[in-house]
Amino acid sequence: MLFHHLAAALPVETLAAADELNTDDLATWLRNLFGPLFLVIVSIVALFFLFTREITRFAQFILLAIGIGIIFYVPNIIEVTAKAIAKALGVDLD
């Protein structure tokens, strides 16, 4: 059932060309899938730290969440990082 929902969320172009790998909009699809989930989890954990009055842990968690949020929400950071890792491993990108 979960696979059906994930497959339904895929763009039509991805499902139509099943024989060849199309990763053009992969980063956008990942942002759209994990972005709202990330925000919900951050909100719940942050509220837990606030209600238990653990201000130091709350501050550490918020800084970590901001760092992870930058990775997902800054445009092209996933692509640039992936290309840098591939280049460092010696993969020819041309």
Side-chain angles (χ1 to χ4, degrees), residues 38 42 45 49 56-72:
F38 172 73
V42 166
V45 174
F49 285 141
T56 305
R57 280 189 165 180
F58 172 74
Q60 291 171 348
F61 178 74
I62 291 300
L63 290 175
L64 181 66
I66 289 171
I68 293 171
I70 287 172
I71 291 172
F72 279 106

Side-chain angles (χ1 to χ4, degrees), residues 80-93:
V80 170
T81 306
K83 286 180 183 177
I85 291 171
K87 190 173 182 181
L89 292 174
V91 176
D92 186 23
L93 299 175

Side-chain angles (χ1 to χ4, degrees), residues 8-88:
L10 286 173
V12 176
E13 298 83 20
T14 305
L15 293 175
D19 55 342
E20 58 184 61
L21 186 60
N22 183 7
T23 59
D24 293 339
D25 295 326
L26 180 62
T28 305
W29 182 75
L30 285 173
R31 276 189 205 102
N32 291 339
L33 182 67
F34 290 113
L37 182 65
F38 172 73
L39 291 176
V40 168
I41 292 171
V42 166
S43 301
I44 291 171
V45 174
L47 286 174
F48 172 76
F49 285 141
L50 279 177
F51 285 136
T52 58
R53 297 182 184 190
E54 298 182 29
I55 302 302
T56 305
R57 280 189 165 180
F58 172 74
Q60 291 171 348
F61 178 74
I62 291 300
L63 290 175
L64 181 66
I66 289 171
I68 293 171
I70 287 172
I71 291 172
F72 279 106
Y73 288 113
V74 171
N76 297 333
I77 198 164
I78 295 173
E79 294 91 342
V80 170
T81 306
K83 286 180 183 177
I85 291 171
K87 190 173 182 181

